[in-house]
Amino acid sequence: MSDDPLVWATPAGTPSLGAAQGLGHRLFSRFRIGTRLAAMMALAALVSALLATMGVRGLAAANESLRMVYETRMKPVRNLDQVAHLMLSNQLQLQLALARPGDSDLTERGALSPELARQAARAIESNMLEIDRLWEEYSRAPKEQTETDLAERFAHERAVYLSAGVKPAIAALRSLEHHSAQRMAGTVHRLYERARPEIQALINHQFEQAHAAYEAGVRRHALTLQLSLGALIVSMLVLGFLGAMLIRSIVRPLQAVGTVFRRISAGQLDSHIVVEGKDEVSTLLFELRAMQRRLLTNEKAIYDLAFFDPLTHLPNRRLLRERIQNTLDAGADDAAHRALLLIDLDNFKNINDTLGHQVGDQYLVEIARRFSAIVRPPHSVARIGGDEFVVLLDHLPAAEAPALARAQAMAQELLDGIARPCELPGQVHHGSASIGICLFRRGGTTIHELLKRADTAMYQAKNAGRNAYRLFDPALQAELETRAALQAALREAIGADQLALDFQVQVGLDGHAVGAEVLLRWHHPVHGSVPPAQFIPIAESCGLILPIGQWVLQQACAQLGAWAAAPHARHLDLAVNVSARQFRSPDFVAQVREALAQAGAPPERLVLELTESLVLDDVADAVDRMQALSRHGVRFALDDFGTGYSSLAQLKHLPLHQLKIDRSFVRDIVHDRGDAAIVQTIIGMAANLGLCVIAEGVETPAQHQTLRRLACTAFQGYWFGRPQSAAQFEQWLAGAGAAPPTSPTPSEPTDATTTLP
């Protein structure tokens, strides 16, 4: 077959068939498909009608032949046979008249019975009249020569038979003369016997003619049948051939259309399309050819749209992925390094926000122009979206050190190119960027993994102060993956009953328990016991701190409600850390009230611990929320006091109940006079403000004694009790109570990382 989808080649050895197919296509394609089908149906109906007509006429002809045999040939046979029968009947009539006389005396006298003689005479006369009628009817029919000769001989014998035999016999019967009648009966018999071979020959001749006519009719019927069957077969072959040509004239162009579509979808827009005819398929091919021309004209635009960024005309993410995949699929003998440099422009959002998106687009175009001037083949640069660009460095040295040096040199060159002044409407912009570098070789990884590594390194550069580049660090990647896994697991922690609360006792000057602080714990079936310092920041970043904080608050209030019914615990305060995000939520006050109401807990025993940065970030809002809860009876403590940058002028307006001295001051208070002075100052300030003070992280008796000497009134730490479950804490309360442990354990980790921020 020709490369042209609409040119049919003649198969080898069948030139006439190929020519007929080509002729059929040219013939059929000039008419619409509906017209072709209608013509085909009309032709089929015409052939059926012709076949039916031929069959009917053939059967009529055969029927006519048989009718002629019956009427034209068999009738003379019947007439002649009846003549012979009547002549024989005359003989019998004479014998009956002679054999049955009516009176024996008459017989003896030579006379006949009058009655019998008259009956016989009448019968013979009737027979002769019938013979005359039959013979006259036969004589009028046309005859060929042989039959004419036979008829003339029989006519002569018949005349002799009539004149010399029958008529004298009738006269003898009427005269009742027995002997004369008997003599004439012999004459009639003799003449009959002489005429009988003649009429029998004539009958045989007529029968042979009838038999020949019958055989001719049978042959005509057989011929009609053969002609009908032949015509049926020929018509079926003709209709089949025409139908095949019709189907081929429709299917072949449609197949050609499919071939063209496949070539177009494969990008072969230069395929030649030959259009012949005026039918629907030809119309479709005309439209397809016009579309192909338009696609061919716009092929460059389509390619650019698919593989290039419309703003900067740099390769887009799709083309970049293809190029990266080609490097990953390099041959086994290719040991060269490659590198991905993920570039994120620093503070690009500020340009859009201050100067507008149009100016931002101009800046991106200028940066793309600079990158294109720096990055030369075989390397390439692409824009993958927004203010992110990727440089693919190809064919770097096989050794890692020089390959890394080349990548770092390219990164620095890109940073220098970005840092050059850029003239923007209204200002001269000095840009910067953060670049993540990821070295790799063929195989062994995926495009997604490479981009993820480069992205991780880029964020390292941003965290390092921006305007820098960083190399991918596998340890940091592992940390990020662990963080992601913990975040996914943390979403199921509450529903899976993996979170729990521990309680750490707070004691007064007399050594008795005055309260406790709730500490959140997470026990995961796979990750084990996850430290709060690890999962709390994750919860803060992804928003899970809100449902977790609400759950902690509900559990703490439920515990306060249970303690309110226990004489040994009803006096205890319960401190709950509140995160900044939880405190700022619009319904925080309502959540606290609802939790207290549902648990039936005394509000005055609930102490909410807030950080300095939380309350001082928006003092007015913090004061409103705190006062709303204070009016309900809830009290507040300022956690980790002294570690931030507190404003004492603002601090005095806060409705606080307690200050918590941070463990960082308690740790070295015995040996560090500075820490001791800070603690003494905090205690004195709290006394002047009418606030209680509690010191965290008390782990040794020396720390305890020093704090007592500085007038600290409440303490919390391992020296008094470790964090315990609710059941263990209540058991401890019912037993030794607030008695200090027999031996300190300062070497064990403190609870610094166990509280809910």
Side-chain angles (χ1 to χ4, degrees):
M1 181 175 289
S2 169
D3 290 338
D4 191 327
L6 293 184
V7 175
W8 288 269
T10 302
T14 57
S16 59
L17 178 59
Q21 291 173 350
L23 177 61
H25 170 69
R26 290 191 295 274
L27 175 63
F28 280 118
S29 62
R30 297 182 182 276
F31 303 97
R32 301 182 67 82
I33 294 176
T35 304
R36 298 186 217 170
L37 294 177
M40 196 69 185
M41 294 177 63
L43 179 60
L46 177 62
V47 170
S48 300
L50 289 176
L51 289 176
T53 302
M54 290 177 60
V56 170
R57 295 189 64 178
L59 292 176
N63 185 58
E64 179 66 18
S65 297
L66 295 177
R67 187 189 65 79
M68 289 178 62
V69 169
Y70 178 78
E71 293 184 1
T72 305
R73 294 299 180 185
M74 290 302 296
K75 187 175 182 180
V77 172
R78 289 194 302 273
N79 289 346
L80 293 175
D81 184 68
Q82 192 173 1
V83 168
H85 177 72
L86 291 173
M87 293 174 69
L88 180 62
S89 178
N90 291 338
Q91 185 72 22
L92 293 175
Q93 289 295 335
L94 287 172
Q95 291 177 357
L96 288 173
L98 294 173
R100 298 176 61 188
D103 191 343
S104 59
D105 293 336
L106 293 176
T107 304
E108 291 177 359
R109 293 196 303 265
L112 296 173
S113 170
E115 182 68 23
L116 292 177
R118 285 192 295 272
Q119 289 179 358
R122 287 195 300 271
I124 292 171
E125 286 180 344
S126 176
N127 289 343
M128 293 309 297
L129 290 175
E130 181 65 18
I131 289 173
D132 290 340
R133 185 187 67 79
L134 292 174
W135 181 254
E136 183 179 0
E137 181 179 347
Y138 170 75
S139 299
R140 289 196 300 269
K143 305 175 186 61
E144 29 77 35
Q145 185 61 42
T146 302
E147 186 178 1
T148 301
D149 295 341
L150 291 174
E152 289 177 353
R153 287 200 297 269
F154 175 72
H156 174 74
E157 295 295 334
R158 171 179 168 274
V160 173
Y161 170 77
L162 180 62
S163 61
V166 174
K167 287 182 179 182
I170 292 174
L173 290 174
R174 286 177 177 172
S175 63
L176 301 178
E177 294 179 359
H178 182 269
H179 294 290
S180 179
Q182 189 173 19
R183 180 175 54 80
M184 293 310 299
T187 301
V188 169
H189 176 70
R190 186 178 68 254
L191 293 176
Y192 168 75
E193 289 296 331
R194 194 175 69 178
R196 187 169 64 83
E198 300 296 335
I199 193 171
Q200 187 63 42
L202 191 58
I203 291 173
N204 290 340
H205 180 76
Q206 285 290 340
F207 186 80
E208 289 176 358
Q209 293 294 320
H211 182 70
Y214 175 78
E215 287 184 346
V218 171
R219 286 194 300 271
R220 177 172 294 185
H221 183 273
L223 179 61
T224 302
L225 178 61
Q226 292 176 358
L227 290 176
S228 299
L229 290 177
L232 177 62
I233 294 173
V234 171
S235 63
M236 290 176 63
L237 291 176
V238 171
L239 289 176
F241 177 73
L242 293 177
M245 292 181 65
L246 177 61
I247 293 172
R248 193 177 184 85
S249 69
I250 297 173
V251 172
R252 291 292 294 276
L254 290 178
Q255 290 175 340
V257 171
T259 301
V260 173
F261 274 122
R262 286 192 296 272
R263 291 181 179 178
I264 291 177
S265 64
Q268 302 176 13
L269 301 179
D270 56 348
S271 301
H272 184 52
I273 303 177
V274 175
V275 182
E276 296 180 358
K278 300 177 181 179
D279 59 357
E280 292 87 344
V281 178
S282 299
T283 303
L284 176 62
L285 287 172
F286 273 116
E287 296 296 332
L288 182 59
R289 186 165 65 182
M291 182 189 73
Q292 184 188 42
R293 289 171 179 169
R294 290 192 296 271
L295 289 176
L296 187 61
T297 302
N298 299 325
E299 184 178 14
K300 179 62 168 61
I302 295 172
Y303 181 82
D304 289 345
L305 185 63
F307 294 101
F308 289 88
D309 174 51
L311 176 63
T312 63
H313 303 294
L314 292 177
N316 60 12
R317 183 185 294 269
R318 180 178 178 182
L319 184 54
L320 173 68
R321 293 178 69 89
E322 287 189 7
R323 291 178 177 178
I324 296 175
Q325 190 62 52
N326 290 337
T327 62
L328 292 175
D329 296 338
D333 57 344
D334 189 345
H337 274 92
R338 277 88 175 177
L340 276 186
L341 279 66
L342 178 60
I343 308 163
D344 185 85
L345 302 180
D346 296 332
N347 302 315
F348 174 73
K349 185 175 181 296
N350 294 339
I351 298 177
N352 283 335
D353 294 342
T354 58
L355 302 179
H357 288 276
Q358 184 175 359
V359 176
D361 289 347
Q362 293 178 10
Y363 180 65
L364 290 175
V365 171
E366 174 60 22
I367 293 299
R369 187 190 63 78
R370 296 182 185 185
F371 284 172
S372 298
I374 296 171
V375 180
R376 293 296 185 182
H379 315 312
S380 60
V381 59
R383 181 188 178 214
I384 62 174
D387 60 342
E388 286 190 333
F389 298 82
V390 172
V391 172
L392 173 62
L393 300 182
D394 202 355
H395 297 295
L396 297 179
E400 183 175 353
L404 178 58
R406 291 271 296 276
Q408 290 174 325
M410 176 61 73
Q412 187 59 54
E413 192 173 354
L414 292 170
L415 290 177
D416 295 340
I418 298 171
R420 293 200 307 270
C422 181
E423 295 285 345
L424 296 178
Q427 70 175 38
V428 177
H429 182 73
H430 297 270
S432 65
S434 301
I435 302 178
I437 303 174
C438 173
L439 282 180
F440 68 97
R441 286 181 173 173
R442 60 165 297 277
T445 187
T446 62
I447 298 175
H448 173 74
E449 183 65 25
L450 290 176
L451 291 173
K452 185 171 70 172
R453 292 176 184 177
D455 188 68
T456 301
M458 184 269 292
Y459 275 102
Q460 285 182 271
K462 280 193 177 295
N463 294 334
R466 306 190 179 192
N467 194 28
Y469 61 82
R470 289 291 183 270
L471 182 66
F472 168 71
D473 184 1
L476 179 60
Q477 179 66 23
E479 180 182 341
L480 292 176
E481 291 176 355
T482 301
R483 180 184 178 93
L486 288 177
Q487 179 176 328
L490 188 58
R491 294 186 182 277
E492 310 295 332
I494 297 178
D497 199 24
Q498 297 173 2
L499 298 181
L501 294 182
D502 279 358
F503 299 81
Q504 188 172 32
V505 67
Q506 297 172 339
V507 300
L509 284 172
D510 58 0
H512 290 90
V514 296
E517 180 182 1
V518 293
L519 305 172
L520 182 61
R521 297 291 184 263
W522 179 21
H523 302 283
H524 191 270
V526 176
H527 300 288
S529 182
V530 185
Q534 188 174 4
F535 72 82
I536 291 298
I538 296 175
E540 287 274 9
S541 64
C542 67
L544 290 175
I545 195 64
L546 295 178
I548 291 176
Q550 185 176 2
W551 179 86
V552 170
L553 188 62
Q554 292 171 347
Q555 297 297 313
C557 291
Q559 188 61 59
L560 273 178
W563 284 352
H568 66 284
R570 65 179 57 173
H571 66 285
L572 297 179
D573 296 335
L574 191 57
V576 179
N577 287 275
V578 178
S579 70
R581 194 165 184 176
Q582 183 183 8
F583 184 76
R584 298 297 181 193
S585 63
D587 56 347
F588 174 71
V589 175
Q591 287 180 9
V592 176
R593 290 179 178 178
E594 182 181 359
L596 288 168
Q598 288 181 350
E604 65 275 6
R605 292 302 174 191
L606 178 63
V607 179
L608 300 180
E609 296 187 356
L610 309 176
T611 62
E612 293 180 72
S613 59
L614 187 157
V615 297
L616 297 179
D617 181 55
D618 187 347
V619 176
D621 180 68
V623 169
D624 290 342
R625 293 170 182 268
M626 293 171 69
Q627 287 180 346
L629 290 174
S630 294
R631 287 192 294 269
H632 195 64
V634 178
R635 294 178 295 172
F636 291 90
L638 198 60
D639 196 16
D640 301 334
F641 185 75
T643 59
Y645 302 95
S646 302
S647 172
L648 299 181
Q650 299 290 346
L651 190 62
K652 66 181 181 180
H653 298 296
L654 299 174
L656 293 173
H657 164 70
Q658 186 181 70
L659 296 180
K660 297 192 74 172
I661 302 174
D662 188 69
R663 70 188 69 252
S664 61
F665 301 122
V666 175
R667 183 174 53 249
D668 298 324
I669 192 172
V670 177
H671 309 290
D672 192 324
R673 292 184 178 182
D675 287 343
I678 293 174
V679 171
Q680 187 175 20
T681 302
I682 294 173
I683 294 173
M685 181 187 66
N688 292 330
L689 293 175
L691 302 177
C692 299
V693 176
I694 183 170
E696 294 182 299
V698 182
E699 298 180 351
T700 67
Q703 293 172 344
H704 181 214
Q705 292 301 324
T706 302
L707 289 169
R708 285 174 62 91
R709 189 169 58 251
L710 295 175
C712 185
T713 58
F715 314 92
Q716 177 181 342
Y718 278 9
W719 175 251
F720 304 99
R722 290 177 170 278
Q724 306 173 81
S725 66
Q728 293 172 334
F729 184 76
E730 291 181 0
Q731 184 179 4
W732 179 83
L733 285 176
T742 56
S743 60
T745 55
S747 60
E748 296 182 7
T750 69
D751 59 339
T753 61
T754 59
T755 60
L756 179 66

